[in-house]
Amino acid sequence: MKLAFILDPLPSIKTYKDSTYAMMVEAARRGHELFFMLQESLMWKGGAIVGENARLALTGDPDRWYHIDLPRETPLAAFDAVLMRKDPPFDAEYVASTWLLEQAVREGARVFNDPRAIRDHSEKLAVAEFPQYCVPTLVTRLPGQVHAFIEAQGDVVVKPLDGMGGGGRFPRDRFGREPLRDRRDGHGARAAHGHGAALHPRDPRGRQAHPADRRRAGAA
């Protein structure tokens, strides 16, 4: 099969932990063809959703792990599967990409995961579907609400809604009782401490943020 991966720039991929790289290794082992394209390579051209892509070969070398051919333009419907594996930030460009991918699906492309689900189902807010299993959690943009939450719960971790992994996480000790401040995260997306705050007293991630503190910890 011809598998197209929409990814971040290849030099940024950390092969020792990246799940997409593991998927590509297994796909190559099974004899499938791999193709690579950037998010910005998606376009609507000539009445179809097209991606500027390049055939990708894995070298097995942990340092120079890939080789790519010259780029070409291919309708997404021509691939056997298109895998949207671009990391956040979940910004306007990311949303626009899901619109293009939705149109590609209407043209017959097989896109994983469903573009609408990627856009509409926030991984950060998914916990709201299971409140009975959640520790105290707050999602807000208001600094005063976050400060009050900190006072009530103790140690917290604040995380923006539009980031990924551990990006943007801060334990309470990083800002203490000072006013919460807007900042720029590593991806350049605006993130306000408390814009997505989830407090988890028994969350192991909270304990990792405070390895010397075995009291109730929280993540916001």
Side-chain angles (χ1 to χ4, degrees):
M1 294 194 299
K2 294 182 178 180
L3 306 180
F5 291 83
I6 303 172
L7 286 170
D8 292 290
L10 294 178
S12 71
I13 302 297
K14 297 178 174 59
T15 57
Y16 66 90
K17 68 173 185 177
D18 193 278
S19 58
T20 302
Y21 175 72
M23 294 167 63
M24 291 191 293
V25 168
E26 182 59 21
R29 188 187 70 81
R30 298 186 182 200
H32 302 305
E33 295 180 74
L34 308 179
F35 298 84
F36 155 74
M37 69 181 77
L38 296 169
Q39 175 178 253
E40 54 263 37
S41 300
L42 294 172
M43 63 187 106
W44 186 56
K45 183 177 181 180
I49 302 299
V50 173
E52 185 179 275
N53 66 96
R55 186 166 181 171
L56 173 72
L58 305 181
T59 66
D61 184 330
D63 296 319
R64 299 180 178 181
W65 60 271
Y66 64 89
H67 172 77
I68 56 175
D69 291 343
L70 294 174
R72 69 189 80 178
E73 293 180 7
T74 307
L76 266 58
F79 294 106
D80 294 294
V82 177
L83 293 88
M84 177 52 158
R85 302 293 297 176
K86 169 74 174 66
D87 284 334
F90 188 82
D91 54 13
E93 185 175 2
Y94 198 99
V95 171
S97 295
T98 66
W99 294 334
L100 292 171
L101 290 172
E102 275 192 283
Q103 177 58 31
V105 170
R106 288 190 283 269
E107 296 170 4
R110 288 169 286 275
V111 180
F112 302 93
N113 288 329
D114 182 272
R116 183 176 180 181
I118 294 173
R119 181 181 65 247
D120 295 350
H121 193 263
S122 168
E123 63 178 25
K124 305 298 189 304
L125 289 178
V127 295
E129 300 175 27
F130 310 98
Q132 67 272 33
Y133 302 117
C134 294
V135 293
T137 300
L138 173 70
V139 177
T140 182
R141 190 179 178 84
L142 301 177
Q145 289 286 333
V146 179
H147 280 306
F149 197 51
I150 290 170
E151 291 301 319
Q153 299 294 335
D155 292 335
V156 306
V157 173
V158 178
K159 184 173 184 178
L161 292 179
D162 60 353
M164 59 161 287
R169 282 181 53 194
F170 284 93
R172 174 181 184 265
D173 291 345
R174 288 293 297 273
F175 50 79
R177 298 174 60 87
E178 297 177 6
L180 299 178
R181 296 183 297 271
D182 284 351
R183 67 179 193 86
R184 295 279 178 176
D185 68 12
H187 298 284
R190 260 180 96 75
H193 293 292
H195 187 123
L199 197 64
H200 300 300
R202 293 179 296 278
D203 192 325
R205 291 173 297 180
R207 290 197 293 272
Q208 290 170 8
H210 304 276
D213 189 350
R214 298 303 177 185
R215 299 170 300 169
R216 286 166 61 88

